[in-house]
Structures are given as C-alpha cells and as structure tokens.
Amino acid sequence: MDLGEFETDNSVSCRLSSPIPDLCKNEDCCLGIDEAGRGPVLGPMVYGICFCPVSKKEDLKALKVADSKTLTETERENLFMKLDEAKSYVGWALQILSPNTISNSMLQRSKYNLNALSHDAAIGLVRYAIDSGVQLKEVFVDTVGPAEKYQEKLSQQFPGVEVTVRPKADSLFPVVSAASICAKVARDHAVKGWKFAEDLGDVDTDYGSGYPSDPKTKSWLLKYLDPVFGYPQFVRFSWSTAQTLLDTKAVTVHWDDDEEDGEKAAARQNNTSVLSYFSRKPSHGAHPREPHRFFSERKLQSVDTL
Amino acid sequence: MTTKKKRSPPTESDSWVLIAPDSVVASRKTRDPDATFVSLRNPATDGGSQYLFSNGDMQVFEVKAFSEDYRSWFIGQRVQRDGRLLYVTPVDPLFLLLPYLRKAGAEGKFQPLQQVVMDEDYPGCMRLLSCTHSVDSLHHVADEKEVGSMKFHRYSQEKTMEWLQKKVERIVRMLKKSDISVGGGVKSSTFIRVKEENHVTEVDYLCYAHGLISEYISEDLSKDLHKHLQLPEMSSPNKAEPPSKKRKLSDKPVEAGEDYTKFNSADFARKPPKKMTAAQKTLAKVDKTGMKTMSAFFSPKVKQENN
Amino acid sequence: MSANSSVTVVQLDSAAQANKEQLHLLPCEIEHNGPAEVSRFYSPTVKDHKHEMTVSFRGRPLKGQEVNCPQGYTGLVLKEVQRPSSDQEDRIVKVSSVFNNFTRWNLETPPTSDDGVVMAMMWPKLAEAIHGPIDE
C-alpha cells in the first residue's frame, strides 16, 4: 500500500483509493465500512470501505478475508495483496484522519466529537463510491455509537441503499472484513513509517500498541513530553491520557474559551482583563474615566508600571 | 477533557516586547546612549504612568500597552507569558507640564518654570524641562515675561484653549484621511465595523478628536474645551448603556463563531436558543450591547426590543 | 523618597549586538517564562498557503498572519540585566532582540483587519497627529 500522498502532509486528512472496477459500475454492489485505530492515543484513525458486485460475494468469501483483529500483521498484508489481485471486481477507498485532525476537531470551539467525525468519514467514503459510479445497493457497517441512530443517519443520506448496522459486522460480513483489512494495513503503515513534522532527530519508534493501557506507549508519552508544546502531532492531544499527562507535567495554558468563572465573565463585560484586577492596579482618582473608544476598541491602555 | 486550572497571578516580568520610533533606537549614536522609563503624573488620571525619555531627555514618549486577554509571546527560543505589546509613541510634553502650570497659575503670579514643575510623588518630572518642545513652546499655554536672563511664566486659559483647538483641528484632518471609524458610537465593538460612513458629520469628527485630546488633559479642562469648541451637549455614549454585571448570559444565541454578518440581520434575535460554547456566549454578550447601540442609532428613539 | 523615584534604564547600545529573532503572538496564555523549543516543535509545523498560515498548538488549530511594525518604528525586546535588590534601585534593561515584523495567531478564526492587534498598529500615526508640536 502506497501512503505517499498522506506522508507528504500527515497533519491533514487524506483519501486513498483503488481504481473502480468496471464490474462495479455495471452491477448491483455491496459495500462494507470499517475503521482502524479508533482507540490509540497515537497515530491516525483510518476509515475504510471495500465494495464488490453482490454476485461476487462468494468469490470474496473464498479469499478467506476475516476480521482484521484476529489476524497477524503478515496475514493482513497477504490478504491485502489478495484483494489487490482481485481488483477486477473488488475496490476500496480509505480516509486517513491524521492525529492532528482528530486533535483539532475534538478541541475546537464548537466541539466535534469522535463519533461525528467517524460518521462523517464513513458517509464521505460512501458518497465517493456512489459519485465514482459504483451501483450501490447494500451497505454493511460495524456500529459507532447507538446502532439505530447510525442506521437512520446512513439511510437518510443514501436513499435506495439498504443499510445494515450490526455489532461485529467485521466478522459477519466478508465485505466488512475486507474493509477492516484495508483500514488496518493503512493504519499500521502510517504508524510504522510516521514522518515527524517536528525536528526531533532520531525518534524512538517503540510506541507499543498505541493504546493508553500499554506500558510501552505510556513510557513513550513520558519520554516525548515537552513542557511547552506538549507533544508532536503524532499524538492525539484530545485523548484523556495525553491531557492528564500534560496537566501534571507540562506548563499550564489558558484559552479564552476555557470554562468561564464568574470573575472572568464580569471582567469580560467590563472589557478589562482579569490580570488587571490583581496585578496592574487601575489608575487612581475618584472617578476613573472610561478610556476613549479609539483605545478601548484597540485594547490599548496606559502602563502604570512596567 | 479534564478540568481547567485556575489562572495563577502573573509573575513580575523581566522582559518586554515593544515597538518604538526608529529615532529612539538610533539615539545610541548620540552622547547619551541610554533611554529611561520614568513614572510621571498622568495629566488625565492624576495617577502614575510610564513614559520614556531618550536623547539625553530631549525627547519624551508615552507607553501604551496593547493588552488582550489570553496572549503570550514566543521570542526566538523562549516563551514570555506577558503577551502585551508596548507602544512607545511621542507625547507632547506640554500636556505633562499643564497640570503644574495650572496649579501654579491659580496664584496668578509669574513664576520661573523650575519652581513650578516640582512633584514629590513624581520627581522624574524635572526631566520634562530638558525636552526640546517644552520650554520653547510654553507660549502656547502661558504668558511669558523675561527679566534679565530669567524667564517667568503664568498659565493662560485663553491661550491653552486656542492651542488645544489647533490640536483638535489637526487631529480632525488626520482622521478624515484615515479609515478610523468616528461615527456616533455605532462601532461599539470590534465585531461590527461599517466601512462606508456617509452619515459622518463634522461634529462627529470634532467630538472624536475632543475625546482623544481628553486622554491627555484633566476632566475640567476637557469640559472647558468642549465648551470652547461649541460641541453639542455631552451625550456620553458610554453611560447610555452601562454594561450591567447582572446581565444574564445572553438568551439571544449566535450561530457560529465566524459569521458576523448575522449580527446585522434584524431577525437573528428570533433564532431558538441553542447550547452555546463559552466563547459563543461571550460573543453573544458583546453583540448584545453593540446591537442596542445599533438599533438606537437607526431607529428614531422609540422601541428597540421588539424587532 | 517616593517609590516613583526609581527608573528603568534601557541600555540602547546593546541594540547593536541584539539578535534578530522570530516572534509569535499566541492566542493563549502560557504560564511560563523561559526556554521553549520553538524551532523544533513549532516552526517546522507552520504551514503557509497563499498567505493563510496555519499551525497547531497543544492540539488546537491556529490561523496566523505576518504583521509589520508601523513605518518609522522598530520592534525591540527588552530584557532585565539584573534584578535590583530593592525597589529604590534603578532597574537596568538591555535590548535582547530587534524585529520588524512578527506573526500573530488567532484561535481558529482567520485573521482580519478588524482584529485588535492590527487595529492597534494605527496608534503611532494618530499619536503623531495628537502630539506633534503646533507651529505658528
């Protein structure tokens, strides 16, 4: 699998895809959706779709694709090769959500949670397949969040397509297993070959599984914690593991959308800074005049002490 | 996410980021290589403010801080918590001398300047006497008498008014050339800035300039100047809508953080309440005061809440 | 003696040896004064596409823009040489770096000319109109 396009800028989200088999444009198709790397605190989360004509379901089954989690890395690589060899009737597409995209989305002012991010990635991929001419009739997907809601959301998006949202879909439907293999292979490659945008010299690549519970992952997170910047973009800042480490070991950073306390809200209404309350005392005089609006609009004020 | 920590009180700075005239930096080529920050009596507030003397005290500058909440600097390979940007800009030393002259003027006598400009609280004020533009331009605000080699001065209200009027006129000329919004208080927040200002009158410019000058003179002198310029009764736009501390978090929601055009549409207030982030609440609050002023301005004084 | 009698002396001759350093004005308060690995963690991740600069800090998306000092003005960073032992003593600062522009960052929102820091750049020009001497 060639991740070159993602690796040129691994701070953003990236779509990779196989060519669309001609068969898929002429016959009714089924499509599976699955993801890899949802839980880890490191690296991208990858969404994958895999599709083939409904008439080829048995051929796909014969490739012996199984849930990627039950396979070794080598087995997954081999199965991905087999899928590639079956390109006359099997197609796939991937959405790689970089850890930076995940952090940025989850930490933005109007919070964009992981479920919404996942749903949108899945919907985007299915839309891509339809727009590329795939004659889509059936969609199978493992559930993200409440199954009924997800099913409803997908059905609404794609009228005329039969949507099946099912827990453990990756072990029940070969087309979902195939999607999970594509996603997992991409995720493994992305993590293994991670090019740090930061200038960190030789980075220890012994990340462990990337799961917060893995001691190797934990010690890597401790080793690469910077007191000011926190982490390289390889780490998902929005994970509580990362947040907790930063809260205890890095310098505190305050943003204007941190939860407001009463004092701050009052200060904001008066258009003054909280700091001015307890450090730089306001100018004397019984009736301090309001500064002219030229200055208040520009946040300019006299300086009492340096 | 985890709970947010309280902000700790700021530590005393040992570094500052500032913007200063090239001449201040270039003055190191002159005989006095140093510049000095001095605390002087601020003529408008009567409290202490920071000023900078350079070129052997021949030039004086004031210090203003651009101070936005939640700002810090990266400077090279360093972080500076204090995110202020200090502006060092010229100040007319006459503004700083005026309070002393007026105080002495109350006695109605001609006095030598050295006797007038004395201040136990702000001993640095002596430096003002070496400024190029202070002694030379005292005739703008004081009557002068020369006895032998000695010069004596007496504050003149009449001259001062004339001098301030000339300043106001110059500021008005500058404002007209600039894109500073001077219209009757409409642009109450940085979020709403109407670019075209067809309705701005000469009086708007004069009021704005008077307001700027008032930052450098005492309150009673500001009132005198207001009269002298024959400006309309002070309607004090600031006090018309005092920001109430008790005002609840807005019940008028705002949709997105970016789309400020919505603030101008009349029906935005009808949108149903939605859950807002802290930042949106802040925006909503800011908008509210701005909106009042807007509607007050555009509608002929009647009702404003039921649009 | 008044507390206001002590002054802060700026050793301007130090400006000749001052470094040219990159400055970034961030949209957050960092509770720290001291070293920061800006060139390792921050600068290499700044992206500049058609005048829109983007970067992340602590996982949050920032949008930035270069700001030039007003004409006729120079940016200076002053640093205290030695902390005085009492508040009666003069403070001495030197020019540790000089700059002609800096990068200012917003949290998420694209920079506009209505942002405070850009509007404030207008001040020196207006100050000159207010404070220039009146000629006869």
Side-chain angles (χ1 to χ4, degrees), chain A residues 110, chain B residues 249-257 262 268-278 280-281 284:
Chain A
S110 44
Chain B
L249 292 180
S250 178
D251 48 353
K252 294 181 181 177
V254 181
E255 290 232 304
K262 288 213 170 61
F268 82 96
R270 273 192 258 134
K271 299 254 162 67
K274 267 203 278 180
K275 211 170 173 237
M276 289 187 288
T277 64
Q280 284 172 330
K281 283 174 192 158

Side-chain angles (χ1 to χ4, degrees), chain A residues 247 264 289 292 297 303, chain B residues 2 5 70 187 215 217:
Chain A
D247 279 351
K264 191 177 132 190
R289 278 187 274 166
H292 187 261
E297 281 172 2
V303 176
Chain B
T2 49
K5 292 185 191 170
Y70 299 100
K187 290 89 200 166
E215 294 280 317
I217 53 180

Side-chain angles (χ1 to χ4, degrees), chain B residues 253-273:
Chain B
V254 181
E255 290 232 304
E258 284 87 11
D259 190 3
Y260 302 121
T261 58
K262 288 213 170 61
F263 290 67
N264 291 322
S265 76
D267 68 341
F268 82 96
R270 273 192 258 134
K271 299 254 162 67

Side-chain angles (χ1 to χ4, degrees), chain B residues 8-19:
Chain B
S8 71
T11 39
E12 203 184 331
S13 302
D14 68 348
S15 74
W16 302 265
V17 179
L18 57 96
I19 282 179

